[in-house]
Every structure is written in C-alpha cells, then in structure tokens.
C-alpha cells in the first residue's frame, strides 16, 4: 500500500509540472529511486484449477517464490525497468512475460499443459511389460519364481495373462487362437529358433531361459511394429540385464534341479556363467506317476554371458547357452528314447553415432539336433537337424518432440535336414526383410505409430517374391490414467519345415490381419484393461491330396479382460484374467472349417499374493472350458495352485509350491482311439532353496 501511495504522489508532482504529463508508465518507472522495492504478484492456474507449487521467478535474478495452495504468489524485486518473468510447473510449458517490473502485479497466469515428448510415450495396447519401473506389471525374476503355477518358468508365468490358452499336454504359449509356433521369442532383439526344452509326447515342456537372465520382458499379444517378423500371432522380446557392478556367486537345489552360477565384475564389463542339472529320477522314485519311464527326464544346461560398456555410450552384449536333454519312455511295444542338443548364441552392439542417431547391430545362431528311437513304431529312428543364422541392423533417431524414426534390415538364413527311415528331406532358404517405423505425435494427446515391413523370399521357392505388410497404431491418451488405442496390421510367417518339404518347397508364407481395440484405465492401486480383437488368416497350409497347398484360412475373434488390484488389503495384490475366444480354421488335414482342438472358448485365471513379514503366500486358480476333438469334448480344466516363499535372510530364500492341490484329474485331449490324455501325475510338489554366497540378494544368485 505504501508503494502504491508513493506512485500516486509522484504522478501528482509530475502532473503539476505539466511538461511531463504525457510520459508513459515505463518512463515514470525509470525515474524511481533504485532503492525503491517492486512487488510482483498474481495467481497461476491451468485454466480451471490453481496450481500449487509452481515456480515463479525473474530470469537472471534470485528473486522468486513458489505458489501457495490457491496458486497465489507474491515477492519483492529491487530490479527496475524491463524484466522477464518466468513460471514453470511439471507437465506444463514454461510461461514467460517480458514487461516493466512495476506492471507485474495482480497477474493471472494460465499455464498450458506440456505435450508429451514422443520419446516419453508408452503405448500399452496388447502388450504386458515386466521388469519396468511402472507400479504395475513389474514381474521381475523373483515374481516369476513365485507365480502360483510357474515353478520358475517364464512361459508358465505368462500363462496367467489374458489371451493365452491352457494346453496342458505340451505347456507352450498359445495366444488368441494361434498355434504355439505363431508366438516367437527374441533375446536382445535377436530371434530364437526353439525357445522351449524338449520332452516326450503329452508332457509339458518349459522355457529354455531362466527369468534371472532378463531385466525386461515385453509380451505382445498382437499388433506389434515392423521390427518383428515371422510371427503370426505374438512376440516375446526379452532384454538381458546390464553389466554387473559387483561379483556374485551362489547355488540352488531342489528335488528336481541343482544350479551353480556367478558373475565376475570388471571396471566396465562383467563375465557370467551358470550350470544346471535337472533330473526327475529322485522325484519319480518318491512320487508315483502314470507314465512308464525307462530313463528319467534329464537336462544339462550351461550358459555364459559377457557384457561391456564402452565410453561414448556403446554397449556390447553376448550370450551362449547349451542344453542336452534325454528321456526314455515305454508306450505299448515301443521304448522311446529321445536325445536333443540345443545351442543358442547371440551378440549385439548398440551405440550412439552422433546427431541423435543410434545404431544397433546383432547376430544370432540357433542349432537344434533331435534323435528319437522308436518314434512311431518299434525299431524306427528319427533324426532332425535345424539351424538358423539371424543377422540384423537398425538405425534409430528421435527427430524432435513429435517424431521418432527407425529403419532396419535383417536376414534369416535357415537349413533343415530330416531323416526318418527311408524318408528324408533337406531345406535351405533365406528370408530377407526390411522395415521402417515412424512414431508421430499428431496433437498433444494423440499419437500415431505407422510402420511397414517387407519380406522377400527367393523366386520360385515357397511362393517367392515380395510381401508387403503395413501396420499402424492410433492412440489417444487423455490423461495419465486413461488410454485408448486402435491397432491394425498384417503379419506373416513361413510354414513349418515338415509342411514345406511335403509341398515340394512351394508353400507361400501364411499371413494374418490383426485388428484390436484397447482400453486401459489405471489409478494408484488398480489397473483395468479391456481388449476386443479380430484376426483373419490367409494362405495356411492345407493338405490336398498328398501335398500341402497354401489354401487354408481361418478367423479368431475374442475379448480379453485384465484386472490388477492392490487396494483390498495391505500387502495383498490380486489379478483377474479372462479371455473369450471364438476361432475357426480350415487348415492342415481338416476336411471342414472348425474350431482348432487346442482352443478353449473360455479361460479364467485368478491370482493372489500376500506378504506376512518375511513370508509370501501365493494362490492361483485356473479354469478353461472344454476343447473339441473329433471323438469328443474334454471336460473343463481346473487347477488350484499354491506356493510359499520364505525370505530366511538376505542371502537365503526357500520356495515351495504345490500345483493342483485338490488332485483333480484334468483331461487334456483324446487320442486317435478316444482314450483321454492326462498329465503324468495330478499334483506336482516343488521345494527349492536358493543361497547367495557373495551377494546380498538371494534371488540374484541363480542364472546370473
């Protein structure tokens, strides 16, 4: 008030003088005493509500303050003349006003919400991400181990998500009405030819890779970008952990497996190893089972990783893993003997090359050798060798806050040899592909991801020629809690080797058109996602006469619902996954369009995890409606699984689980004679102990 009176007195004096009557306010201010303070004041809002905690200050000075709970601010500056006032608040564009200091009173500042940078956008449509920093879907290695029905298997843990089918006789991933081989696995961006361990018929397999290998898993149920090819239904990209900063060493043991692993950390690199032996011998002696094994299931695994970080942001990662699996089983007059060697290795390098460009290059090799005696009849011998070399290079650039681009090229070089008594074949072919992806912020809350992928096969083989596949995702993100996306695209995959050989190498690639509407709402404690989808298949292998032709087709439509909640009780997290799927196909040896026998129309999974001190209890319920076969429909599938984890100390963890605790005999399918096919045992008990010998985290000791 005193300051305003001084201004009035000064104006009267100037008016009395007469010759200064026309001076502007800015000129008047210049005649103030340099010691006279000026008060800057006003309010800051977003146009509707006040913004508390906004930073308001004069640029080039230390004068300023934060707004109060009503968005008000007031502070004194001694600067005179023209100044620049700035206001900033997280999520909003900076506000600037240049004017005479004396005019900066009773301001009404309306902040504009800052448009999200294209590099900050995370579109979640049809994708579940684990190992990230979000409050939801942060399934790390320990969570995978503790999932009610997983027993430490990544594939089993992912089957708690919507969109997956329960196919108990092999345990593989079946997604949204697609075959298991329509879901492809990538490690550090490089393809894995065979991601599963092997086993005899009607026995569930496990994923080859330990959850302890990875810092991030992005399971896409469909609608992925142009970077990923040769996958009709879904992709499972996994990113290995970064270079370790400390040494680690540990062991783990149970009735069925024993592990030893460790890491040696260097200045900017680390070298890791792991060795594991899995054997069902002791378990089979302790617990009865239905199958007659002449030799128990055994698997010897060895893995190694080397990681190095270079100055200038370059990162090199390499991995090599080898599995030797063997098992013998008596079925009727046959004594099946199976042995498989599976080796996978990759090396990737990613670096910044200046001007905002990032270069990625990688190479991977997969080799699988399978030998089976008495495979179909007594005395026969089956031999199969499969190999793939995957080469890939990609260039990425964030062009601006509204545009991000990436482009790349890759080559799949494949060969396969099969010998079965008098029948044999040999395949050699390569698939050359290129893609371009553009992520564009159309308006502040709407984003468009457009991509195109082209694949070329040698002319005259497998259809030959060029296949072009456009893909797009349009997303509207009105707030941090809400997201809508519309996804559409075309995807392709080469037929399995056996079908290619029986078609005399003339089968063209199968294609699938995806359309998905995704709606997601997320609060502090709850996540809800609803996704209806439609897929149409073309050029599937269809047996006509004695050869396969690309004349098969099919559709798959359905609805996925996922609900995760942390609000019911303290230390309790629950999930609900429900999937409805209606699939029909005419392919392989089908004589009419029908629902594939691996599909169940309804799948429901409920999980709960509760922590009591150092004990974590997990419970899950899995339900699937019956599957249709020519000789009948199976009863519904149901299994209640329970596990308990005891964190004995920072270096020791004890884990135990019991699958199908009520002992229900679930029928997986019917064989050609109409005989029900069930698991080898109704219940499975697992007890394991993990011990860290040179680290402070028990769950960090196994598999690096």
């Amino acid at each position: 008030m005193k300051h305003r009176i001084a201004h009035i007195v000064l104006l009267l004096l100037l008016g009395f003088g007469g010759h200064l009557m026309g001076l502007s306010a800015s000129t008047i201010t210049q005649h103030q005493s340099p010691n006279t303070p000026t008060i800057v004041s006003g309010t800051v809002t977003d146009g509707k509500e006040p913004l508390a905690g906004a930073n308001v200050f004069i640029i080039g000075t230390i004068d300023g303050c934060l707004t109060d709970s009503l968005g008000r601010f007031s502070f004194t500056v001694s600067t005179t003349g023209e100044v620049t006032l700035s206001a900033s608040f997280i999520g909003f564009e900076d506000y600037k006003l240049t004017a005479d200091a004396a005019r900066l009173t009773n301001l009404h500042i309306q902040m504009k919400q800052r448009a999200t940078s294209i590099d900050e956008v995370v579109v979640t449509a049809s994708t579940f991400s684990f190992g990230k920093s979000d409050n939801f879907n942060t399934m790390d290695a320990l969570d995978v181990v503790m999932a009610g029905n997983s027993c430490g298997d990544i594939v089993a843990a992912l089957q708690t998500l919507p969109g997956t089918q329960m196919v108990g006789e092999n345990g593989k991933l079946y997604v949204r009405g697609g075959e298991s081989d329509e879901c492809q696995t990538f490690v550090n961006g490089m393809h894995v030819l065979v991601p599963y361990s092997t086993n005899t018929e009607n026995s569930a397999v496990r994923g080859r890779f330990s959850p302890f290998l990875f810092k991030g898993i992005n399971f896409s149920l469909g609608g992925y970008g142009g970077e990923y090819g040769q996958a009709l239904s879904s992709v499972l990209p996994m990113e290995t952990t970064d270079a370790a900063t400390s040494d680690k060493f540990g062991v783990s043991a149970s009735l069925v497996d024993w592990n030893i692993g460790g890491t040696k950390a260097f200045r900017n690199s680390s070298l890791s190893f792991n060795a594991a032996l899995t054997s069902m011998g002791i378990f089979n002696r302790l617990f009865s089972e239905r199958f007659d094994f002449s030799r128990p299931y055994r698997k010897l695994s060895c893995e190694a990783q080397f990681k190095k970080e270079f100055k200038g942001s370059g990162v090199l990662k390499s991995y090599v893993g080898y599995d030797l699996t063997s098992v013998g089983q008596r079925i009727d007059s046959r004594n099946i003997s199976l042995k498989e060697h599976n080796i996978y290795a990759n090396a990737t390098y990613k670096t910044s090359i200046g001007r905002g460009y990032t270069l990625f290059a990688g190479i991977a090799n997969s080799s699988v050798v399978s030998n089976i005696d008495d495979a179909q009849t007594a005395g026969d011998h089956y031999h199969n060798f499969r190999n793939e070399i995957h080469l890939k290079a990609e260039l990425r650039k964030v062009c601006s806050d509204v545009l991000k681009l990436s482009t790349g090229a890759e080559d799949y070089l494949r060969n396969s040899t099969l010998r079965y008594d008098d029948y044999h074949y040999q395949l050699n072919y390569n698939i050359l592909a290129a893609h371009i992806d553009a992520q564009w912020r159309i308006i502040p809350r709407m984003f468009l991801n457009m991509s195109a992928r082209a694949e070329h096969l040698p002319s005259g083989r497998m259809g030959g020629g060029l296949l072009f596949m456009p893909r797009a995702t349009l997303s509207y993100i009105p707030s941090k809690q809400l997201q809508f996306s519309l996804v559409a695209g075309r995807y392709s995959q080469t037929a399995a080797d056996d079908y290619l050989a029986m078609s005399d190498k003339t089968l063209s690639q199968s294609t699938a058109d995806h359309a998905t509407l995704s709606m997601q709402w997320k609060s502090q404690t709850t996540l809800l996602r609803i996704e209806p989808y439609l897929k149409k298949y073309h050029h599937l292998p269809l047996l006509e006469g004695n050869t396969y032709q690309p004349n098969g087709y099919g559709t798959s439509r359905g609805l996925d619902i996922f609900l995760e909640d942390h609000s019911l009780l303290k230390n309790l997290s629950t999930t609900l996954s429900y999937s409805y799927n209606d699939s029909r196909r005419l392919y392989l040896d089908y004589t009419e369009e029908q629902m594939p026998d691996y599909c169940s129309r309804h799948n429901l999974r409920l999980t709960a995890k509760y922590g009591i001190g150092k004990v974590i209890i997990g419970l899950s319920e899995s339900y699937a409606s019956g599957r249709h076969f020519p000789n009948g429909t199976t009863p519904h599938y149901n299994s209640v699984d329970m596990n308990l984890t005891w964190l004995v100390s920072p270096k020791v963890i004890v884990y135990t689980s019991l699958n199908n605790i009520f002992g229900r005999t679930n029928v997986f399918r019917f064989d050609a004679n109409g005989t029900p096919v069930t698991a080898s045992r109704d219940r499975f008990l697992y007890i394991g102990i993990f011990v860290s010998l040179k680290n402070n985290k028990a769950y960090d000791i196994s598999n690096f």
Side-chain angles (χ1 to χ4, degrees), residues 13 429 545 567:
L13 289 173
Y429 63 93
S567 66

Side-chain angles (χ1 to χ4, degrees), residues 38 84 122 174 183 234 292 373 446 455 522 565 584 598 647 651:
T38 301
T84 299
V122 179
Y174 290 76
C183 176
S234 58
D292 183 10
D373 293 325
M446 186 170 289
E455 294 185 348
K522 180 176 67 174
D565 185 82
R584 301 192 67 82
Y598 55 80
L647 305 174
K651 294 178 178 291

Side-chain angles (χ1 to χ4, degrees), residues 301-313:
S301 302
C302 302
E303 300 168 284
Q305 288 190 94
F306 177 73
K307 306 162 189 173
K308 182 174 178 61
E309 298 176 356
F310 297 90
K311 292 181 179 180
S313 72

Side-chain angles (χ1 to χ4, degrees), residues 137-153:
N137 302 328
T138 54
M139 182 183 288
D140 58 19
L142 184 58
D143 293 321
V144 171
V145 170
M146 293 189 303
N149 59 349
S150 73
C151 292
D153 181 29

Side-chain angles (χ1 to χ4, degrees), residues 399-536:
C399 302
S400 66
D401 284 345
V402 301
L403 182 64
K404 181 165 65 174
L405 297 174
S406 66
T407 184
E410 59 188 325
D411 196 6
Y412 295 85
L413 297 95
R414 295 175 174 173
N415 64 82
S416 177
T417 301
L418 182 140
R419 293 194 302 270
Y420 178 68
D421 290 348
D422 295 332
Y423 175 76
H424 70 277
Y425 68 71
Q426 183 168 355
L427 295 174
N428 292 280
Y429 63 93
N430 73 294
I431 305 170
L432 186 64
H435 77 273
I436 183 169
D437 282 75
Q439 297 183 44
W440 175 36
R441 188 186 73 205
I442 305 174
I443 57 177
R445 297 177 181 179
M446 186 170 289
F447 305 87
L448 178 64
N449 186 337
M450 297 188 66
S451 62
R453 182 178 179 88
E455 294 185 348
H456 180 268
L457 290 105
S459 180
R461 305 187 68 177
M462 293 145 30
L466 185 68
L467 182 62
F468 180 75
M469 293 163 285
R471 304 169 185 179
T473 299
L474 179 65
S475 298
Y476 177 57
I477 309 176
S479 67
K480 292 182 179 180
Q481 290 75 35
L482 199 57
Q483 183 173 141
F484 301 94
S485 296
L486 181 62
V487 184
R490 170 160 289 187
Y491 303 85
S492 71
Q493 188 169 349
T494 304
D497 292 343
D498 290 347
Y499 305 139
L500 283 176
M502 292 186 66
S503 71
D504 196 23
K505 307 175 186 177
T506 60
L507 270 178
S508 60
Q509 293 204 72
S510 301
T511 61
D513 297 324
H514 293 199
T516 304
L517 175 63
S518 177
M519 298 165 283
Q520 177 176 292
W521 178 78
K522 180 176 67 174
S523 70
Q524 290 282 340
T525 58
T526 305
L527 170 68
L528 174 64
R529 184 183 297 183
I530 302 174
E531 291 188 350
Y533 62 87
L534 171 66
K535 293 195 294 186
K536 290 190 175 182

